[in-house]
Amino acid sequence: MQRPIYMDCHATTPLDPRALEAMLPYLREHFGNASSRTHSFGWAAEEAVDAARAQVAALLGAQAREIVFTSGATEAIHLALRGSARRERGGHIVTTAIEHKAVLDTLAELEKQGLETTRVPVGSDGVVDPEAIRAALRSDTFLVCVMAANNEIGTLQPLAEVGQLTRERGILLFTDAAQAVGKVPLDVEALQIDLLSMSAHKAYGPKGVGALYVRRRGRRVRLAPASPGGGQERGLRSGTLNVPGIVGLGMACEIAGAELEVEAKRVLGLRERLRQGIESAVPDVTLNGSPTQRLPGNLNMSFAGVQGESLLMQLNDIAVSPGSACDSASGEPSHVMRALGVPDDLARSSIRFGLGRFNTQEEVDYVLDKVIAVVGRLRRASPLYANGMSSQGESS
Ligand SMILES: *Cc1c(COP(=O)(O)O)cnc(C)c1O
Protein backbone atom coordinates (compact mmCIF):
# COMPACT_ATOMS: atom_id res chain seq x y z
CA MET A 1 0.00 0.00 0.00
CA GLN A 2 1.36 3.39 -1.08
CA ARG A 3 1.27 6.29 1.33
CA PRO A 4 0.15 9.04 1.57
CA ILE A 5 -3.29 7.71 0.71
CA TYR A 6 -5.30 10.00 -1.54
CA MET A 7 -8.92 10.32 -0.39
CA ASP A 8 -9.79 13.83 -1.58
CA CYS A 9 -11.49 13.15 -4.92
CA HIS A 10 -13.81 16.19 -4.67
CA ALA A 11 -10.80 18.50 -4.87
CA THR A 12 -9.38 16.69 -7.87
CA THR A 13 -8.94 13.15 -9.12
CA PRO A 14 -5.81 11.40 -10.33
CA LEU A 15 -5.42 11.24 -14.10
CA ASP A 16 -6.50 7.84 -15.40
CA PRO A 17 -3.48 6.23 -17.12
CA ARG A 18 -5.69 5.47 -20.14
CA ALA A 19 -6.51 9.18 -20.51
CA LEU A 20 -2.81 10.02 -20.22
CA GLU A 21 -1.94 7.49 -22.94
CA ALA A 22 -4.56 8.97 -25.24
CA MET A 23 -3.17 12.48 -24.67
CA LEU A 24 0.53 11.81 -25.23
CA PRO A 25 0.54 11.76 -29.07
CA TYR A 26 -1.11 15.20 -29.02
CA LEU A 27 1.70 16.56 -26.85
CA ARG A 28 4.31 15.02 -29.14
CA GLU A 29 3.89 14.45 -32.87
CA HIS A 30 0.28 15.63 -33.33
CA PHE A 31 0.88 19.13 -32.02
CA GLY A 32 -1.15 20.89 -34.73
CA ASN A 33 -3.63 23.70 -34.21
CA ALA A 34 -7.15 22.34 -34.66
CA SER A 35 -8.00 25.52 -36.60
CA SER A 36 -5.28 24.97 -39.24
CA ARG A 37 -7.21 23.92 -42.33
CA THR A 38 -4.33 23.73 -44.80
CA HIS A 39 -2.23 20.76 -43.63
CA SER A 40 -2.32 17.36 -41.99
CA PHE A 41 -1.11 18.65 -38.59
CA GLY A 42 -4.25 20.72 -38.29
CA TRP A 43 -6.48 17.96 -39.64
CA ALA A 44 -5.16 15.42 -37.13
CA ALA A 45 -5.83 17.83 -34.28
CA GLU A 46 -9.31 18.67 -35.56
CA GLU A 47 -10.17 15.00 -35.94
CA ALA A 48 -9.11 14.32 -32.36
CA VAL A 49 -11.22 17.22 -31.10
CA ASP A 50 -14.24 15.96 -33.06
CA ALA A 51 -13.82 12.49 -31.60
CA ALA A 52 -13.56 13.88 -28.07
CA ARG A 53 -16.66 16.02 -28.61
CA ALA A 54 -18.58 12.88 -29.52
CA GLN A 55 -17.23 11.05 -26.43
CA VAL A 56 -18.30 13.86 -24.07
CA ALA A 57 -21.72 14.13 -25.74
CA ALA A 58 -22.30 10.37 -25.49
CA LEU A 59 -21.77 10.37 -21.72
CA LEU A 60 -24.40 13.12 -21.30
CA GLY A 61 -26.96 11.92 -23.83
CA ALA A 62 -26.18 15.03 -25.87
CA GLN A 63 -25.12 15.64 -29.47
CA ALA A 64 -21.56 16.54 -30.37
CA ARG A 65 -22.59 19.96 -31.73
CA GLU A 66 -24.01 20.82 -28.29
CA ILE A 67 -20.60 20.60 -26.54
CA VAL A 68 -18.41 23.70 -26.09
CA PHE A 69 -14.90 23.10 -24.76
CA THR A 70 -13.63 25.44 -22.02
CA SER A 71 -10.71 25.66 -19.60
CA GLY A 72 -12.74 23.96 -16.87
CA ALA A 73 -16.01 24.08 -14.99
CA THR A 74 -15.43 27.61 -13.69
CA GLU A 75 -15.21 29.04 -17.19
CA ALA A 76 -18.19 26.95 -18.32
CA ILE A 77 -20.21 28.39 -15.42
CA HIS A 78 -19.22 31.95 -16.41
CA LEU A 79 -20.24 31.27 -20.00
CA ALA A 80 -23.62 29.81 -18.98
CA LEU A 81 -24.53 32.53 -16.48
CA ARG A 82 -23.06 35.63 -18.12
CA GLY A 83 -23.95 34.37 -21.59
CA SER A 84 -27.62 33.85 -20.77
CA ALA A 85 -27.92 36.92 -18.53
CA ARG A 86 -26.60 39.38 -21.10
CA ARG A 87 -29.30 38.34 -23.49
CA GLU A 88 -31.96 39.05 -20.93
CA ARG A 89 -30.74 42.41 -19.55
CA GLY A 90 -32.06 42.26 -16.00
CA GLY A 91 -34.51 39.52 -15.19
CA HIS A 92 -34.41 36.92 -12.42
CA ILE A 93 -32.46 33.74 -11.67
CA VAL A 94 -33.45 31.13 -9.08
CA THR A 95 -30.63 29.16 -7.50
CA THR A 96 -29.86 27.33 -4.25
CA ALA A 97 -28.01 28.33 -1.11
CA ILE A 98 -25.33 25.65 -1.52
CA GLU A 99 -23.96 26.29 -5.01
CA HIS A 100 -20.21 26.38 -5.69
CA LYS A 101 -18.49 29.74 -5.27
CA ALA A 102 -17.97 29.96 -9.03
CA VAL A 103 -21.77 30.18 -9.36
CA LEU A 104 -22.49 32.35 -6.32
CA ASP A 105 -19.75 34.88 -7.09
CA THR A 106 -20.75 35.14 -10.76
CA LEU A 107 -24.34 35.74 -9.71
CA ALA A 108 -23.20 38.40 -7.23
CA GLU A 109 -21.38 40.15 -10.07
CA LEU A 110 -24.50 39.98 -12.28
CA GLU A 111 -26.61 41.38 -9.44
CA LYS A 112 -24.50 44.53 -9.52
CA GLN A 113 -25.54 44.88 -13.15
CA GLY A 114 -29.24 44.75 -12.34
CA LEU A 115 -30.02 41.03 -12.34
CA GLU A 116 -32.10 39.73 -9.43
CA THR A 117 -31.61 36.33 -7.83
CA THR A 118 -33.37 34.15 -5.27
CA ARG A 119 -31.31 31.65 -3.29
CA VAL A 120 -33.64 28.89 -2.26
CA PRO A 121 -32.69 27.28 1.07
CA VAL A 122 -32.06 23.53 1.36
CA GLY A 123 -33.28 21.11 4.00
CA SER A 124 -31.02 19.99 6.86
CA ASP A 125 -30.06 17.05 4.60
CA GLY A 126 -28.80 19.45 1.93
CA VAL A 127 -31.52 18.57 -0.58
CA VAL A 128 -33.55 21.35 -2.20
CA ASP A 129 -37.32 20.93 -2.35
CA PRO A 130 -38.60 21.35 -5.94
CA GLU A 131 -41.70 22.99 -4.44
CA ALA A 132 -39.48 25.70 -2.98
CA ILE A 133 -38.00 26.25 -6.45
CA ARG A 134 -41.47 26.47 -7.91
CA ALA A 135 -42.53 28.99 -5.26
CA ALA A 136 -39.52 31.20 -6.07
CA LEU A 137 -40.28 31.45 -9.81
CA ARG A 138 -41.42 34.84 -11.10
CA SER A 139 -42.77 36.03 -14.42
CA ASP A 140 -39.31 37.41 -15.29
CA THR A 141 -37.37 34.27 -14.20
CA PHE A 142 -35.38 33.12 -17.22
CA LEU A 143 -33.01 30.61 -15.61
CA VAL A 144 -32.93 28.12 -12.74
CA CYS A 145 -29.46 27.08 -11.58
CA VAL A 146 -29.23 23.95 -9.40
CA MET A 147 -26.01 21.99 -8.96
CA ALA A 148 -26.16 18.26 -9.70
CA ALA A 149 -23.99 17.22 -6.74
CA ASN A 150 -22.48 19.30 -3.96
CA ASN A 151 -18.70 19.38 -3.58
CA GLU A 152 -18.67 19.41 0.25
CA ILE A 153 -21.47 17.09 1.30
CA GLY A 154 -22.06 15.16 -1.94
CA THR A 155 -25.79 15.81 -1.98
CA LEU A 156 -27.58 14.95 -5.22
CA GLN A 157 -30.37 17.34 -6.17
CA PRO A 158 -33.76 16.32 -7.66
CA LEU A 159 -32.92 17.56 -11.17
CA ALA A 160 -35.67 15.57 -12.90
CA GLU A 161 -38.38 17.33 -10.87
CA VAL A 162 -36.75 20.71 -11.35
CA GLY A 163 -36.39 20.03 -15.08
CA GLN A 164 -40.10 19.28 -15.30
CA LEU A 165 -40.92 22.61 -13.66
CA THR A 166 -38.62 24.67 -15.83
CA ARG A 167 -39.59 22.98 -19.08
CA GLU A 168 -43.31 23.51 -18.47
CA ARG A 169 -42.67 27.22 -18.05
CA GLY A 170 -40.11 27.75 -20.78
CA ILE A 171 -37.40 28.59 -18.24
CA LEU A 172 -33.81 27.43 -18.80
CA LEU A 173 -32.29 24.84 -16.44
CA PHE A 174 -28.55 25.12 -15.84
CA THR A 175 -26.74 22.56 -13.70
CA ASP A 176 -23.18 22.72 -12.38
CA ALA A 177 -22.36 19.03 -12.75
CA ALA A 178 -18.62 19.14 -12.00
CA GLN A 179 -18.96 16.62 -9.16
CA ALA A 180 -21.61 14.45 -10.77
CA VAL A 181 -20.35 13.79 -14.31
CA GLY A 182 -18.93 10.28 -14.52
CA LYS A 183 -20.02 9.43 -10.95
CA VAL A 184 -23.80 9.16 -11.34
CA PRO A 185 -25.88 8.78 -14.52
CA LEU A 186 -26.80 12.15 -16.07
CA ASP A 187 -28.84 12.45 -19.24
CA VAL A 188 -29.68 15.92 -20.48
CA GLU A 189 -32.79 14.66 -22.30
CA ALA A 190 -34.24 12.63 -19.44
CA LEU A 191 -33.56 15.46 -16.97
CA GLN A 192 -34.54 18.26 -19.39
CA ILE A 193 -31.32 20.16 -18.78
CA ASP A 194 -30.52 23.09 -21.09
CA LEU A 195 -27.02 24.00 -19.88
CA LEU A 196 -24.54 21.78 -18.01
CA SER A 197 -21.00 22.58 -16.89
CA MET A 198 -18.34 19.96 -16.22
CA SER A 199 -14.63 19.60 -15.53
CA ALA A 200 -12.17 16.94 -16.69
CA HIS A 201 -10.05 16.87 -13.53
CA LYS A 202 -12.98 15.88 -11.32
CA ALA A 203 -13.53 12.79 -13.48
CA TYR A 204 -10.01 11.32 -13.88
CA GLY A 205 -9.11 13.61 -16.77
CA PRO A 206 -6.48 16.38 -16.89
CA LYS A 207 -6.68 19.79 -15.21
CA GLY A 208 -7.44 22.97 -17.13
CA VAL A 209 -10.12 21.60 -19.44
CA GLY A 210 -13.87 21.25 -19.22
CA ALA A 211 -17.03 21.69 -21.22
CA LEU A 212 -20.40 23.36 -21.35
CA TYR A 213 -23.36 21.53 -22.81
CA VAL A 214 -25.60 24.01 -24.64
CA ARG A 215 -28.95 22.64 -25.80
CA ARG A 216 -29.71 22.88 -29.50
CA ARG A 217 -32.26 20.09 -29.89
CA GLY A 218 -35.91 21.02 -29.35
CA ARG A 219 -35.14 24.33 -27.83
CA ARG A 220 -32.04 26.15 -29.00
CA VAL A 221 -30.28 28.05 -26.20
CA ARG A 222 -28.66 31.27 -27.35
CA LEU A 223 -25.73 32.59 -25.36
CA ALA A 224 -23.72 35.77 -25.71
CA PRO A 225 -20.04 34.90 -26.39
CA ALA A 226 -17.79 35.15 -23.35
CA SER A 227 -14.51 35.77 -25.12
CA PRO A 228 -14.13 37.57 -28.46
CA GLY A 229 -11.30 36.51 -30.76
CA GLY A 230 -10.65 33.75 -33.26
CA GLY A 231 -14.21 32.46 -33.23
CA GLN A 232 -13.50 28.90 -32.09
CA GLU A 233 -16.32 26.83 -30.57
CA ARG A 234 -18.98 28.47 -32.75
CA GLY A 235 -17.84 31.85 -31.58
CA LEU A 236 -18.85 31.18 -27.97
CA ARG A 237 -15.35 30.60 -26.64
CA SER A 238 -12.52 31.97 -28.72
CA GLY A 239 -8.97 30.78 -28.18
CA THR A 240 -6.79 27.99 -29.57
CA LEU A 241 -8.15 24.66 -28.41
CA ASN A 242 -6.25 22.67 -25.78
CA VAL A 243 -6.10 19.57 -27.97
CA PRO A 244 -4.28 17.18 -25.56
CA GLY A 245 -6.55 18.27 -22.71
CA ILE A 246 -9.66 17.82 -24.83
CA VAL A 247 -8.48 14.35 -25.90
CA GLY A 248 -7.95 13.48 -22.22
CA LEU A 249 -11.42 14.76 -21.34
CA GLY A 250 -12.94 12.71 -24.14
CA MET A 251 -11.20 9.53 -23.01
CA ALA A 252 -12.18 10.20 -19.38
CA CYS A 253 -15.82 10.46 -20.50
CA GLU A 254 -15.63 7.29 -22.55
CA ILE A 255 -14.16 5.35 -19.60
CA ALA A 256 -16.78 6.77 -17.25
CA GLY A 257 -19.59 5.80 -19.60
CA ALA A 258 -18.34 2.22 -19.83
CA GLU A 259 -17.50 1.75 -16.14
CA LEU A 260 -19.75 4.10 -14.18
CA GLU A 261 -22.28 1.53 -13.06
CA VAL A 262 -19.77 -0.99 -11.72
CA GLU A 263 -17.50 1.68 -10.30
CA ALA A 264 -20.32 3.51 -8.48
CA LYS A 265 -21.28 0.27 -6.71
CA ARG A 266 -17.69 -0.49 -5.75
CA VAL A 267 -16.98 3.04 -4.48
CA LEU A 268 -20.26 3.09 -2.57
CA GLY A 269 -19.25 -0.18 -0.93
CA LEU A 270 -15.94 1.34 0.19
CA ARG A 271 -17.66 4.51 1.42
CA GLU A 272 -20.18 2.51 3.44
CA ARG A 273 -17.42 0.35 4.91
CA LEU A 274 -15.70 3.51 6.11
CA ARG A 275 -18.91 5.13 7.39
CA GLN A 276 -20.15 2.06 9.25
CA GLY A 277 -16.70 1.38 10.64
CA ILE A 278 -16.45 4.91 12.04
CA GLU A 279 -20.02 5.00 13.33
CA SER A 280 -19.69 1.69 15.14
CA ALA A 281 -16.39 2.58 16.83
CA VAL A 282 -16.59 6.33 17.48
CA PRO A 283 -19.33 7.93 19.58
CA ASP A 284 -20.74 11.40 18.81
CA VAL A 285 -20.18 11.44 15.09
CA THR A 286 -22.71 12.94 12.72
CA LEU A 287 -23.09 12.55 8.99
CA ASN A 288 -23.46 15.87 7.14
CA GLY A 289 -25.79 15.75 4.17
CA SER A 290 -28.31 13.17 3.05
CA PRO A 291 -27.61 9.50 3.87
CA THR A 292 -29.24 8.41 0.59
CA GLN A 293 -29.25 11.28 -1.95
CA ARG A 294 -25.49 11.34 -2.10
CA LEU A 295 -22.49 10.79 -4.37
CA PRO A 296 -21.14 7.25 -3.89
CA GLY A 297 -17.66 8.48 -2.93
CA ASN A 298 -18.60 11.29 -0.53
CA LEU A 299 -18.42 11.00 3.24
CA ASN A 300 -18.61 14.19 5.32
CA MET A 301 -18.65 13.69 9.08
CA SER A 302 -18.42 15.84 12.20
CA PHE A 303 -16.47 14.56 15.22
CA ALA A 304 -17.86 16.50 18.18
CA GLY A 305 -15.25 17.96 20.49
CA VAL A 306 -12.39 17.56 18.02
CA GLN A 307 -10.86 20.43 16.05
CA GLY A 308 -10.97 19.55 12.35
CA GLU A 309 -7.55 21.11 11.90
CA SER A 310 -5.96 18.93 14.59
CA LEU A 311 -7.62 15.90 13.10
CA LEU A 312 -6.26 16.68 9.62
CA MET A 313 -2.80 17.27 11.04
CA GLN A 314 -2.81 13.94 12.86
CA LEU A 315 -4.03 12.11 9.77
CA ASN A 316 -0.73 13.08 8.23
CA ASP A 317 -0.41 10.27 5.71
CA ILE A 318 -4.00 10.55 4.53
CA ALA A 319 -5.06 13.26 2.08
CA VAL A 320 -8.52 14.49 3.10
CA SER A 321 -10.05 17.97 3.40
CA PRO A 322 -11.92 19.91 6.06
CA GLY A 323 -15.61 19.06 5.78
CA SER A 324 -16.42 22.72 5.65
CA ALA A 325 -14.28 24.65 3.19
CA CYS A 326 -13.64 27.91 5.02
CA ASP A 327 -15.10 30.81 3.10
CA SER A 328 -12.25 33.17 3.82
CA ALA A 329 -9.34 33.99 6.07
CA SER A 330 -11.93 34.67 8.76
CA GLY A 331 -12.13 30.91 9.33
CA GLU A 332 -15.91 31.00 9.19
CA PRO A 333 -17.54 27.68 8.28
CA SER A 334 -18.73 27.44 4.70
CA HIS A 335 -22.05 28.69 3.36
CA VAL A 336 -22.92 25.03 2.77
CA MET A 337 -22.68 23.99 6.44
CA ARG A 338 -24.53 27.15 7.45
CA ALA A 339 -27.29 26.38 4.95
CA LEU A 340 -27.73 22.93 6.52
CA GLY A 341 -27.96 24.50 9.95
CA VAL A 342 -24.87 22.66 11.23
CA PRO A 343 -23.63 24.53 14.35
CA ASP A 344 -20.31 26.29 13.72
CA ASP A 345 -18.31 24.18 16.18
CA LEU A 346 -19.57 20.97 14.59
CA ALA A 347 -18.81 22.36 11.13
CA ARG A 348 -15.26 23.04 12.31
CA SER A 349 -14.97 19.47 13.55
CA SER A 350 -15.87 17.93 10.22
CA ILE A 351 -13.81 16.23 7.56
CA ARG A 352 -14.61 15.26 4.00
CA PHE A 353 -13.49 11.94 2.57
CA GLY A 354 -13.60 11.72 -1.22
CA LEU A 355 -13.26 8.12 -2.34
CA GLY A 356 -12.73 7.22 -5.95
CA ARG A 357 -11.64 4.88 -8.70
CA PHE A 358 -8.21 4.05 -7.36
CA ASN A 359 -8.97 3.56 -3.67
CA THR A 360 -8.80 0.02 -2.30
CA GLN A 361 -10.38 -1.79 0.63
CA GLU A 362 -6.94 -2.04 2.21
CA GLU A 363 -6.67 1.75 2.14
CA VAL A 364 -10.14 2.16 3.62
CA ASP A 365 -9.23 -0.16 6.48
CA TYR A 366 -6.02 1.75 7.15
CA VAL A 367 -7.90 5.07 7.16
CA LEU A 368 -10.61 3.62 9.40
CA ASP A 369 -8.12 2.40 12.03
CA LYS A 370 -6.26 5.66 11.97
CA VAL A 371 -9.38 7.84 12.27
CA ILE A 372 -10.61 5.79 15.22
CA ALA A 373 -7.24 6.03 16.96
CA VAL A 374 -6.69 9.73 16.30
CA VAL A 375 -10.21 10.85 17.29
CA GLY A 376 -9.90 8.84 20.51
CA ARG A 377 -6.52 10.37 21.30
CA LEU A 378 -7.61 13.93 20.56
CA ARG A 379 -10.74 13.57 22.64
CA ARG A 380 -8.87 12.16 25.62
CA ALA A 381 -6.56 15.18 25.46
CA SER A 382 -9.39 17.65 24.95
CA PRO A 383 -10.87 19.74 27.73
CA LEU A 384 -13.74 20.39 25.30
CA TYR A 385 -14.78 16.79 25.18
CA ALA A 386 -15.94 14.72 28.10
CA ASN A 387 -17.15 11.15 27.79
CA GLY A 388 -20.88 10.95 27.43
CA MET A 389 -21.37 14.40 25.97
CA SER A 390 -24.24 14.69 23.58
CA SER A 391 -23.65 15.22 19.90
CA GLN A 392 -24.86 18.80 20.15
CA GLY A 393 -21.28 19.97 20.28
CA GLU A 394 -22.12 22.74 22.76
CA SER A 395 -18.58 22.65 23.99
CA SER A 396 -17.17 26.08 23.16
C1 LIG B 1 -14.40 21.85 -8.91
C2 LIG B 1 -15.74 22.44 -9.07
C3 LIG B 1 -15.94 23.56 -9.89
C4 LIG B 1 -14.79 24.25 -10.60
O1 LIG B 1 -14.19 23.43 -11.56
P1 LIG B 1 -12.79 23.80 -12.24
O2 LIG B 1 -12.72 22.95 -13.46
O3 LIG B 1 -11.75 23.46 -11.24
O4 LIG B 1 -12.84 25.26 -12.58
C5 LIG B 1 -17.22 24.04 -10.01
N1 LIG B 1 -18.26 23.47 -9.37
C6 LIG B 1 -18.12 22.40 -8.58
C7 LIG B 1 -19.30 21.79 -7.91
C8 LIG B 1 -16.85 21.86 -8.41
O5 LIG B 1 -16.70 20.80 -7.60
Side-chain angles (χ1 to χ4, degrees):
M1 184 173 43
Q2 293 269 345
R3 272 174 275 157
I5 292 168
Y6 190 77
M7 222 172 255
D8 199 14
C9 284
H10 304 293
T12 193
T13 53
L15 181 62
D16 190 294
R18 294 167 287 182
L20 174 63
E21 280 305 314
M23 292 169 71
L24 286 174
Y26 297 92
L27 289 158
R28 291 183 179 138
E29 59 271 25
H30 300 313
F31 57 82
N33 185 325
S35 301
S36 297
R37 294 277 150 74
T38 52
H39 50 69
S40 63
F41 294 87
W43 302 331
E46 189 186 23
E47 241 170 67
V49 168
D50 287 347
R53 211 184 291 282
Q55 288 169 313
V56 175
L59 180 63
L60 304 175
Q63 290 185 343
R65 64 194 178 115
E66 298 176 307
I67 303 301
V68 175
F69 290 118
T70 65
S71 63
T74 298
E75 190 193 355
I77 289 165
H78 295 168
L79 184 54
L81 292 177
R82 291 185 186 142
S84 58
R86 267 192 217 128
R87 294 193 61 80
E88 298 288 333
R89 293 188 188 80
H92 179 238
I93 291 181
V94 172
T95 189
T96 80
I98 62 166
E99 299 295 308
H100 190 272
K101 281 205 106 208
V103 167
L104 294 179
D105 289 0
T106 307
L107 289 177
E109 175 199 88
L110 291 170
E111 279 167 3
K112 287 188 197 135
Q113 297 160 21
L115 179 100
E116 292 183 54
T117 66
T118 301
R119 281 159 213 212
V120 175
V122 293
S124 58
D125 59 356
V127 180
V128 71
D129 179 359
E131 280 309 311
I133 301 268
R134 185 204 300 273
L137 298 175
R138 306 193 323 206
S139 59
D140 61 343
T141 306
F142 63 91
L143 183 112
V144 169
C145 169
V146 175
M147 72 198 315
N150 184 269
N151 45 298
E152 288 187 27
I153 52 172
T155 312
L156 303 172
Q157 298 299 350
L159 287 178
E161 284 91 329
V162 177
Q164 187 96 32
L165 276 178
T166 49
R167 183 57 60 89
E168 278 166 8
R169 290 163 178 76
I171 296 168
L172 296 175
L173 173 58
F174 165 47
T175 188
D176 168 8
Q179 292 290 343
V181 168
K183 316 290 172 50
V184 291
L186 272 182
D187 184 294
V188 293
E189 285 301 301
L191 300 173
Q192 314 207 45
I193 292 164
D194 299 300
L195 294 157
L196 177 150
S197 53
M198 60 170 294
S199 182
H201 78 97
K202 303 283 177 74
Y204 310 97
K207 290 167 186 60
V209 61
L212 181 68
Y213 158 78
V214 185
R215 173 171 294 281
R216 289 172 64 120
R217 275 177 302 169
R219 156 170 208 193
R220 183 162 172 193
V221 177
R222 299 188 155 277
L223 296 178
S227 43
Q232 288 90 346
E233 299 299 272
R234 277 187 282 107
L236 279 174
R237 199 273 186 178
S238 283
T240 301
L241 291 178
N242 169 8
V243 178
I246 288 167
V247 168
L249 168 60
M251 182 53 82
C253 287
E254 183 170 326
I255 296 167
E259 300 182 359
L260 187 153
E261 214 177 307
V262 171
E263 180 171 297
K265 280 207 191 88
R266 193 187 74 86
V267 171
L268 178 65
L270 292 179
R271 200 270 315 274
E272 284 300 282
R273 186 179 179 91
L274 183 57
R275 181 184 66 79
Q276 286 162 6
I278 292 174
E279 284 178 350
S280 62
V282 184
D284 297 320
V285 289
T286 44
L287 179 72
N288 297 309
S290 167
T292 53
Q293 301 305 108
R294 189 177 198 105
L295 285 171
N298 177 279
L299 184 63
N300 186 316
M301 292 182 127
S302 294
F303 298 85
V306 174
Q307 285 291 325
E309 275 167 47
S310 320
L311 191 47
L312 291 177
M313 212 140 39
Q314 299 281 314
L315 298 174
N316 51 1
D317 56 358
I318 302 167
V320 289
S321 276
S324 166
C326 286
D327 274 340
S328 65
S330 71
E332 298 283 294
S334 69
H335 64 284
V336 178
M337 288 292 178
R338 291 240 161 114
L340 301 190
V342 175
D344 284 1
D345 54 349
L346 269 189
R348 285 199 192 88
S349 76
S350 63
I351 54 178
R352 177 188 72 181
F353 303 90
L355 292 96
R357 181 173 296 165
F358 301 108
N359 288 120
T360 63
Q361 185 170 310
E362 194 188 9
E363 289 178 332
V364 167
D365 291 344
Y366 180 86
V367 170
L368 179 56
D369 286 347
K370 187 133 184 180
V371 168
I372 293 169
V374 166
V375 170
R377 199 184 323 133
L378 287 171
R379 280 180 172 170
R380 281 191 296 277
S382 169
L384 301 179
Y385 186 83
N387 270 338
M389 75 177 283
S390 79
S391 54
Q392 294 303 303
E394 72 274 82
S395 48
S396 58

